Amino acid sequence: MLPFTYSRASSADDAIAAVQKQQGAKFLGGGTNLVDLMKMGVEQPSALVEITRLPFADIEERAGGVRIGAMARNSAVANHPLIRERYPVLAQALLSGASPQIRNAATVGGNLLQRTRCFYFYDPSYRECNKRVPGSGCAAIQGYNRIHAVLGASDHCVATHPSDMAVGLAALDAKISVRGPQGERTIPFAEFYRLPGDTPHLETDLKAGEMITAIDLPAAAPGRSQYLKVRDRNSYAFALVSAAAVLNVDADRRILDARIALGGVAPKPWRIPAAEQALRGKPATDSTFSEAAEILVQGAKALRYNGFKVELARRTTVRALSSAAAG
Ligand code: SF4
C-alpha cells in the first residue's frame, strides 16, 4: 500500500475543498470496498477524507417520499420502518447483499459507488484492465468471464455492477442528490451510471469533487414488489442475476403498472421502458411476464462462459414478477 494522508472532515464544504486541493484524494465512507481495493493495490489514493461524521445519516419523510442520507448505514436503511413498510423491495435488496457486519459498516453512498468484482480488475498482476489502467485492454473478454455482463458491455469492458441496492433503487425511480464545488444538483437514477463504451474507468455522472449527500425515493407506488437474487451460494455472494419487480395488479389480475430492473447482467442496473410498457394493461400471467423478459434481454451478447445468464435473466424476471403479483 502506498502512503496516503488521512483527515476527517467536519463539514461537506471542508470535505469537498480537501478533495479538490489534492490530486488523487478520495472521500472515505464506511471503507468496506475502498480499503479492500487499497490493500490489493487497485486504488492508490494520495489522501483519504473521511466523511462519515457529516450530517447525512438521517432517514426521513420528504415531499411525500423518503430521503435517505448518504452516510446512513446499509443495515439502518434496510431495517428502518419507513423503508420496510413503503419500499420493501429496497429492504430485500439491501439484506441480500454482503454480510451483517459489512452492512453495519457500509454507507448507502458508498454502496452506489462500489467497484465491479471482475477478477481481473481486482488483481493488478493482470496488466490488461481498461477500468484499472485505461488503454491497457480487457483480460476478461478472452478470460474466465462467467460473472461478466451480457448486456450493455463494450469491447473495452464487460464488467457488471455489483450492488443489489442499486437494482432496487432503479426500480423505485430514485434520485441522487450530490454536492460539489459548483453547488448542489440532483441526478435521476437512470442517468447516474454510465455504460463503459471506450471509457470504462468513468463509471458515474459524478464530477470531480462531487459527493453524494442523499438518495431521494418518490412516494411509494401502489402494488407489491419483490427482489430476487440468484447466486452461487445463499449468502455473502454477488448476484449472477437479480431482479427488482414492482407491480400493481387490479382485482381482475390485470397489470396497471410495472417496473422491473435487473442486476448482475450489465455494467449498471438494467431497466428497459419498453419491457414495462409491454406489461401494462395485460393479464398478470407467466406468458405476459415472459414477453417482458424477452424485451429485457434483447441484444444480449454472451461471452464464452456466461451464456447461461441470458436464460437465467429471463427466468429470474418471470419469477420476480410472478412473486410480486402473488404478493
Ligand atoms: Fe477490467 Fe472491465 Fe475487462 Fe474486468 S471486464 S478486466 S474490469 S476492463
Side-chain angles (χ1 to χ4, degrees):
M1 196 185 286
L2 294 176
F4 59 91
T5 63
Y6 170 86
S7 61
R8 181 178 285 155
S10 53
S11 73
D13 289 342
D14 285 352
I16 292 163
V19 161
Q20 283 285 92
K21 198 170 69 181
Q22 191 166 338
Q23 195 174 10
K26 282 188 175 282
F27 299 119
L28 176 67
T32 54
N33 187 216
L34 177 56
V35 174
D36 276 355
L37 290 166
M38 289 171 66
K39 290 178 186 165
M40 316 274 292
V42 177
E43 292 271 14
Q44 299 181 339
S46 59
L48 289 181
V49 180
E50 192 195 321
I51 55 174
T52 55
R53 300 204 180 174
L54 300 186
F56 300 139
D58 290 343
I59 301 163
E60 58 194 2
E61 291 185 282
R62 172 79 66 102
V66 169
R67 166 163 278 205
I68 304 168
M71 290 302 114
R73 308 290 171 163
N74 285 204
S75 51
V77 178
N79 293 310
H80 196 283
L82 282 173
I83 304 301
R84 292 174 71 97
E85 286 160 21
R86 299 189 194 175
Y87 310 96
V89 73
L90 179 57
Q92 290 170 358
L94 278 161
L95 292 173
S96 75
S99 65
Q101 293 88 342
I102 291 173
R103 292 195 294 269
N104 284 341
T107 64
V108 292
N111 189 325
L112 288 173
L113 298 178
Q114 64 179 296
R115 312 294 303 276
T116 181
R117 263 54 180 190
C118 170
F119 319 123
Y120 304 100
F121 173 75
Y122 260 76
D123 185 349
S125 68
Y126 287 96
R127 290 194 184 161
E128 292 182 331
C129 176
N130 287 321
K131 195 182 276 297
R132 185 163 30 78
V133 184
S136 61
C138 173
I141 289 175
Q142 297 301 328
Y144 186 53
N145 41 42
R146 180 173 179 272
I147 64 168
H148 291 77
V150 291
L151 291 159
S154 74
D155 291 343
H156 300 270
C157 181
V158 291
T160 56
H161 194 272
S163 169
D164 293 293
M165 181 190 78
V167 182
L169 291 176
L172 291 172
D173 279 331
K175 290 188 174 152
I176 313 295
S177 291
V178 305
R179 187 186 295 189
Q182 313 304 324
E184 298 182 352
R185 68 187 178 112
T186 301
I187 308 171
F189 201 85
E191 295 167 22
F192 184 70
Y193 291 111
R194 301 168 57 125
L195 290 177
D198 57 5
T199 54
H201 58 294
L202 303 177
E203 297 174 351
T204 70
D205 188 44
L206 286 178
K207 300 189 179 3
E210 280 187 329
M211 68 161 69
I212 300 172
T213 55
I215 298 167
D216 286 301
L217 302 174
R224 296 181 172 131
S225 62
Q226 179 71 43
Y227 186 72
L228 180 62
K229 179 173 180 176
V230 182
R231 46 189 161 174
D232 280 328
R233 59 172 186 264
N234 204 28
S235 74
Y236 200 42
F238 291 93
L240 290 168
V241 176
S242 68
V246 181
L247 205 61
N248 188 12
V249 177
D250 70 12
D252 298 325
R253 295 196 55 75
R254 195 154 293 274
I255 299 167
L256 300 174
D257 198 13
R259 287 184 245 156
I260 177 90
L262 296 181
V265 293
K268 64 179 195 174
W270 197 250
R271 198 171 157 197
I272 301 290
E276 296 166 12
Q277 193 51 42
L279 291 165
R280 293 187 187 112
K282 303 265 182 60
T285 61
D286 281 2
S287 147
T288 302
F289 301 149
S290 292
E291 283 173 33
E294 209 50 55
I295 296 171
L296 269 173
V297 300
Q298 250 169 31
K301 191 172 160 196
L303 301 162
R304 182 169 179 191
Y305 295 103
N306 69 355
F308 72 97
K309 279 194 175 188
V310 182
E311 181 58 19
L312 190 58
R314 288 189 186 100
R315 294 184 187 200
T316 306
T317 300
V318 171
R319 192 159 145 205
L321 285 165
S322 100
S323 298

